[in-house]
Amino acid sequence: MSEQKNTAELLIIGGGVIGTSIAYHCAKAGVDVLLLEKNQFGAATTSQTARAFRTYFPRKPHDSELAARSLEDFKTFAGGMGVDLGLANLGLLTVLTSPQQAAELEAELPDHREAGAELELLTAAQAVELNPWLDPDTIEAAVWNPQTYRVKPEVIVQGYADGAKKLGARLLSGITVTGLDAGSGVVSTTSGDFTAEAIVIAAGPWSGEVAKMAGLDLPVWGQFAELLHTDPLVDEGDVHDSPFTFHPVSGLKTMGMGKSFLVGLERISKQDGMRDIWFQAAVEELPKWYPRLKNVKLHSAWTGTLDVTPTKSALIGKAGGEHERILFAAGFTGHGLAQAPVAGQIIRDLYLGHQPSVDLTPYSIATNLARLEAF
């Protein structure tokens, strides 16, 4: 433990589920940890989720691997942290709407299974049996992932935060970072200067801005996001048990929530002022696959900001050269809950000089910059 309150071995910027996971895993390894959060822990992107955890990410076996490994931690979370995550079976139904799409996703299933995701290829009839609201005539096939659960994100953040504190970590809220010197390890804030041997940028949508303070180009930005809900379907019974259903081509996502459907549309743009266009796209997309919802109105459930990267996978790693003090874990594009445990372990290993248990190439700055240049 550092003798001075404004010094630490490892300083983490960001107190969402990623930052608190890093704090917990590093403190558990004996690292002197200091975490700074400008708001309240988990108040930004962590709280802005569908409250669901999944282990299958089509076309991204590397993301499926992080989630599958993280699930093993969450299964023991209650015993280790003394809190109830509220894990409840939900299931993910990925709907494939063309022969080509079905063939492509079926071909990659072995890679996802090797990564730890439990997957079953279904017929249209089997898909409709799981989600009777779907139109069978629009379905070529489907992929079923039973390792998808409802969770309580605020409990996860609090569990990590409390666990880190018990291990000696110092977690401070209401502090905004105003400057970062990669050479000296000095972090300037609204509450004075802090100094650390290493600094972790885990500030969600603001991670790119924080990195710029140190002259580091971190390709992550904040993107407007919104979840919608339908009118209550009072004459249709409780739809709460309807599975998380995803249409990869359009990006449409739905899941049962009480007597309504929660609706999202995974179309991410760097352009501002796209909300009206995006909302209309969701209105038009929903009845294509759910004919019985044709005249059902959509309403905003929440609006917020997601941290996004060019690859739509996270940035996790350690910078080099003049920025070698800096580590980063950001840009999870709304999937931070599914990958937080392993993300915390990776940053712990990188700080301690150990080889991480997963290949970080898909999460590197170079990979993301290459994707950015390709557009």
Side-chain angles (χ1 to χ4, degrees), residues 74-152:
F74 280 145
K75 286 181 176 179
T76 61
F77 199 91
M81 303 294 192
V83 295
D84 179 12
L85 297 188
L87 277 178
N89 291 331
L90 176 62
L92 169 67
L93 186 66
T94 299
V95 179
L96 314 179
T97 55
S98 73
Q100 180 181 352
Q101 183 193 36
E104 290 175 353
L105 267 66
E106 182 180 2
E108 68 172 25
L109 291 184
D111 292 335
H112 288 275
R113 291 182 177 125
E114 185 177 354
E118 294 180 10
L119 302 171
E120 180 182 357
L121 189 66
L122 306 181
T123 64
Q126 290 172 315
V128 173
E129 186 175 344
L130 288 168
N131 187 345
W133 290 80
L134 291 167
D135 179 358
D137 293 336
T138 66
I139 303 172
E140 179 69 25
V143 177
W144 175 245
N145 171 225
Q147 301 163 301
T148 297
Y149 306 90
R150 298 183 191 273
V151 295
K152 299 176 181 178

Side-chain angles (χ1 to χ4, degrees), residues 124-204:
Q126 290 172 315
V128 173
E129 186 175 344
L130 288 168
N131 187 345
W133 290 80
L134 291 167
D135 179 358
D137 293 336
T138 66
I139 303 172
E140 179 69 25
V143 177
W144 175 245
N145 171 225
Q147 301 163 301
T148 297
Y149 306 90
R150 298 183 191 273
V151 295
K152 299 176 181 178
E154 66 280 359
V155 172
I156 296 173
V157 173
Q158 196 60 53
Y160 274 139
D162 290 346
K165 290 176 183 177
K166 290 177 182 178
L167 292 166
R170 293 161 289 159
L171 280 66
L172 308 178
S173 59
I175 296 178
T176 300
V177 172
T178 58
L180 199 168
D181 188 319
S184 64
V186 173
V187 178
S188 301
T189 78
T190 50
S191 295
D193 290 348
F194 296 83
T195 303
E197 294 178 11
I199 299 160
V200 182
I201 299 176

